[in-house]
Amino acid sequence: MRIFLDTALIEEIQALADIIDGVTTNPSLMAKAGRPFREVVEEICQLVSGPVSVEVTALDASGMVKEARELAKIADNVVIKIPIGKEGIRAVRTLEPEGIPTNVTLVFSPVQALWAAKAGASYVSPFVGRIEDRAGDGMELVSQILQIYDNYGFGTEVIVASVRHVKHVVEAALLGAPIVTVPYAVMMKLFDHPLTEEGIKRFLADWEGIPR
Ligand code: G3P
């Protein structure tokens, strides 16, 4: 399973750049960075060798394609995040044959994910946390998408997104999702366990007691 970091904050990316498999951003995360958009994208792409998802803001296919072509010039690892919809699907169908990888985002239903795969998207991002914010079952959606993609042999990779807690990462891994994108605060919890900390302390204390 590949683990991406869901942030546009350079300091968070710097802290983990050597061990993460990619980065995902969106306009809200870019706003939190509070710096010129293009400059931030350039810096992220220099720090991370894996895919870096950057979202377009146009609402029509030709506008999306225009923005995407400009963003793709920034670095080889830029992936264009495109909101699902008829216009988004049209944009994906234009960009993928040009060799510009896309990540179809804001996916909340299995048929939206089906359209993304049919259009040839490289990635699809179901937002599990936002579904669960409304008492839905985000992981059931991921499971259905994985089943549909398997049924038809689609090559589109699922990025489990809108992750809220460690359990989402565990559930994504149990379902065999190929990628999860995790906010920094949750990412830090993936390494820790109170018993690990306690165990290290005890081992070190015992080590000090060994005669040398
Ligand atoms: O990358 C986009 C996605 O992860 C958004 O998450 O927390 O805004 O629902 P959130």
Side-chain angles (χ1 to χ4, degrees):
M1 182 193 228
R2 274 163 285 154
I3 301 183
F4 292 180
L5 189 60
D6 197 23
T7 186
L9 295 181
I10 296 297
E11 56 273 26
E12 293 184 350
I13 296 166
Q14 267 168 340
L16 296 165
D18 55 336
I19 54 173
I20 53 174
D21 300 302
V23 166
T24 50
T25 70
N26 60 39
S28 305
L29 294 173
M30 281 291 174
K32 283 186 195 155
R35 292 176 41 215
F37 170 68
R38 202 185 163 92
E39 197 178 291
V40 174
V41 176
E42 281 169 3
E43 276 181 45
I44 298 174
C45 291
Q46 277 165 16
L47 285 169
V48 177
S49 55
V52 175
S53 288
V54 183
E55 193 154 338
V56 295
T57 52
L59 297 176
D60 62 305
S62 65
M64 290 176 185
V65 167
K66 201 170 158 222
E67 270 183 60
R69 286 179 181 146
E70 282 309 306
L71 289 170
K73 287 181 196 159
I74 295 177
D76 288 344
N77 52 341
V78 167
V79 171
I80 307 300
K81 235 178 172 183
I82 298 199
I84 184 66
K86 286 194 293 295
E87 293 300 301
I89 291 304
R90 290 185 179 112
V92 170
R93 287 171 60 105
T94 302
L95 293 167
E96 288 283 348
E98 291 180 14
I100 298 177
T102 58
N103 171 0
V104 174
T105 189
L106 286 166
V107 165
F108 295 97
S109 84
V111 282
Q112 289 179 319
L114 175 62
W115 269 110
K118 273 172 58 60
S122 297
Y123 306 96
V124 68
S125 292
F127 277 23
V128 297
R130 292 194 195 185
I131 290 174
E132 291 175 11
D133 290 346
R134 291 169 171 259
D137 188 341
M139 284 303 157
E140 176 60 17
L141 170 62
V142 173
S143 168
Q144 288 174 339
I145 296 171
L146 290 171
Q147 175 72 63
I148 290 167
Y149 285 9
D150 191 48
N151 288 349
Y152 293 97
F154 286 128
T156 305
E157 292 194 286
V158 175
I159 303 179
V160 175
S162 186
V163 161
R164 298 272 191 267
H165 45 67
V166 173
K167 201 168 173 220
H168 277 150
V169 180
V170 175
E171 288 168 342
L174 287 170
L175 288 174
I179 306 165
V180 65
T181 190
V182 185
Y184 186 81
V186 177
M187 185 75 88
M188 297 318 283
K189 291 185 186 151
L190 302 184
F191 303 101
D192 298 338
H193 194 286
L195 289 177
T196 307
E197 211 174 306
E198 189 189 306
I200 288 171
K201 273 190 198 145
R202 194 181 306 166
F203 283 153
L204 285 179
D206 290 344
W207 177 252
E208 288 307 317
I210 298 173
R212 267 168 277 206

